[in-house]
Amino acid sequence: MGDYEASTMVDVAPNLVFDRLSDLGKLPTYIPWLTSLRPTAVPATAQGAEARRPHEAVHEDVDVTVGGGHRDGWIELVDEERTLRWGMDGGHRYGGELVVDFVADGTSKLTVRLHTTEPTGVDEELDRTLTTIKAMLEKEPS
């Protein structure tokens, strides 16, 4: 079992970084190991910015496909904090958060924190994931 953290600087404004990474339909294009992600249910009540308190997370249950396997999971977005949290249930516990911080005009710091019961290769996978996200974000037009 372990906790891991890695960060990278991205030459894109933090609001744009968070907007792109919080689009759940497009999130698999940024994360190399994530095949698909789709909501499993329509929330019973509206959860948009108009229906929640400031700094309150918008929660979605999701079906996650990694490789060929499906897992149940959840994602929470906190727009004001530019934070995306996630978790998956099952044989090994897995969860984490992605935080986008302001550094300077047009520059962000992207930090990923993970908690997993299967630590094999986590550091390398974090580095590969952050490298991919950074390259894709910096390549997209602002």
Side-chain angles (χ1 to χ4, degrees):
M1 195 174 329
D3 294 307
Y4 301 85
E5 181 174 316
S7 298
T8 191
M9 302 301 243
V10 180
D11 290 328
V12 178
N15 61 320
L16 292 176
V17 170
F18 187 72
D19 286 349
R20 291 171 183 167
L21 295 177
S22 64
D23 182 342
L24 301 185
K26 293 182 181 176
L27 190 58
T29 62
Y30 293 101
I31 301 181
W33 51 265
L34 185 59
T35 306
S36 74
L37 178 75
R38 64 176 183 78
T40 57
V42 176
T45 59
Q47 289 192 8
E50 71 285 348
R52 64 179 177 79
R53 295 184 179 131
H55 303 278
E56 182 178 30
V58 174
H59 179 93
E60 286 210 48
D61 292 324
V62 293
D63 177 63
V64 180
T65 305
V66 179
H70 292 275
R71 303 224 7 229
D72 292 329
W74 56 268
I75 290 184
E76 292 182 342
L77 299 169
V78 183
D79 290 337
E80 298 86 355
E81 298 169 11
R82 290 189 298 266
T83 301
L84 185 150
R85 294 183 191 103
W86 67 89
M88 288 186 269
D89 298 325
H92 81 96
R93 291 284 201 214
Y94 175 79
E97 73 175 2
L98 179 148
V99 180
V100 181
D101 289 311
F102 173 84
V103 174
D105 286 344
T107 303
S108 307
K109 179 179 178 186
L110 180 60
T111 302
V112 177
R113 295 179 186 94
L114 294 177
H115 176 78
T116 181
T117 56
E118 294 200 16
T120 306
V122 173
D123 289 320
E124 295 82 12
E125 191 61 36
L126 266 177
D127 289 341
R128 184 170 76 98
T129 299
L130 285 173
T131 299
T132 301
I133 290 171
K134 174 182 172 64
M136 292 182 73
L137 288 169
E138 290 178 349
K139 185 171 80 171
E140 291 180 8
S142 295

